[in-house]
Amino acid sequence: MKKVIVLLSIVLLLMTGCSIKKLDDKDFESNMNVLLSEKVSNSNVNFEGYKYYVPEGLKFVNKEEYNAIFKDRFNNKYYLYVDVISYYHKIENTYKINQDAYYSKVIDYNDKTGYLEIIESGSKYYVEFMFNYAKIEVLVDKDQLVNAMNNMCYILRSIKFNDKVLESLVG
């Protein structure tokens, strides 16, 4: 009887196993497609009216009102701004593609919109990533671009707003 239960448990485990999506260490665009298309519900940072997830490897430096600063292991500073006013009033994204940028794209995943603009400056990239009514900016070396983009995707995709709290703060 025990053998049958163990065998059924193993079969059930194998049939309902998890799927793993591997992130590319050289292609930020394919990583962005994978990360932003998944719906997430976890968060590890809570503030008045919103919450989000900060991935391992980023450390919190400072927070003032709706702005936050993080640092990664390469000592790059990420500047986050959460635009609760635009969220509350449901302002539409009006970004136009910048032909002079290294990379410029309008983004739309899971009914959330934004844009990504990367400007090359010598051996550095200035990244401005707006998604889900929040914007992150960072200046990174070329070899750290993919890691920075992954970190930005993790944060921006996880932002969840609390409408009741925002009603009392903004409305």
Side-chain angles (χ1 to χ4, degrees):
M1 186 64 173
K2 289 182 182 180
K3 290 180 182 179
V4 171
I5 293 174
V6 169
L7 185 61
L8 285 174
S9 299
I10 291 172
V11 169
L12 182 63
L13 180 65
L14 291 175
M15 293 178 72
T16 61
C18 299
S19 65
I20 297 174
K21 295 180 181 176
K22 184 171 170 44
L23 296 179
D24 192 335
D25 59 350
K26 292 184 178 28
D27 183 12
F28 70 86
E29 191 168 14
S30 67
N31 292 353
M32 183 176 64
N33 291 334
V34 168
L35 293 172
L36 294 182
S37 63
E38 294 178 353
K39 291 188 178 188
V40 294
S41 59
N42 57 340
S43 63
N44 56 9
V45 176
N46 292 298
F47 292 116
E48 291 180 348
Y50 63 97
K51 61 184 177 178
Y52 55 87
Y53 173 77
V54 178
E56 191 175 321
L58 285 183
K59 66 180 180 177
F60 199 79
V61 175
N62 190 16
K63 187 214 182 280
E64 290 182 25
E65 295 186 9
Y66 298 108
N67 299 303
I69 300 172
F70 306 96
K71 271 189 178 179
D72 65 13
R73 62 185 173 165
F74 304 109
N75 220 24
N76 297 315
K77 282 188 177 179
Y78 297 73
Y79 298 90
L80 170 68
Y81 170 68
V82 179
D83 191 356
V84 296
I85 304 297
S86 291
Y87 171 79
Y88 182 77
H89 295 292
K90 304 297 185 217
I91 304 296
E92 294 287 322
N93 178 22
T94 59
Y95 178 78
K96 302 223 182 322
I97 292 177
N98 180 356
Q99 300 297 333
D100 297 328
Y102 170 78
Y103 184 88
S104 180
K105 182 178 181 178
V106 175
I107 299 170
D108 187 359
Y109 290 99
N110 297 329
D111 299 324
K112 298 174 185 173
T113 62
Y115 65 88
L116 172 62
E117 184 172 288
I118 302 173
I119 298 174
E120 187 174 17
S121 176
S123 66
K124 298 247 186 208
Y125 287 118
Y126 168 72
V127 183
E128 182 177 312
F129 193 173
M130 192 277 195
F131 184 70
N132 191 20
Y133 297 101
K135 183 186 342 184
I136 300 180
E137 299 174 352
V138 67
L139 183 66
V140 295
D141 290 329
K142 285 183 177 186
D143 62 334
Q144 299 163 5
L145 179 62
V146 174
N147 182 61
M149 286 298 305
N150 291 347
N151 287 333
M152 295 165 93
C153 286
Y154 280 120
I155 294 171
L156 293 175
R157 76 176 185 177
S158 68
I159 294 176
K160 301 275 188 282
F161 294 95
N162 185 328
D163 292 333
K164 289 181 181 178
V165 173
L166 291 178
E167 174 70 31
S168 67
L169 291 174
V170 178

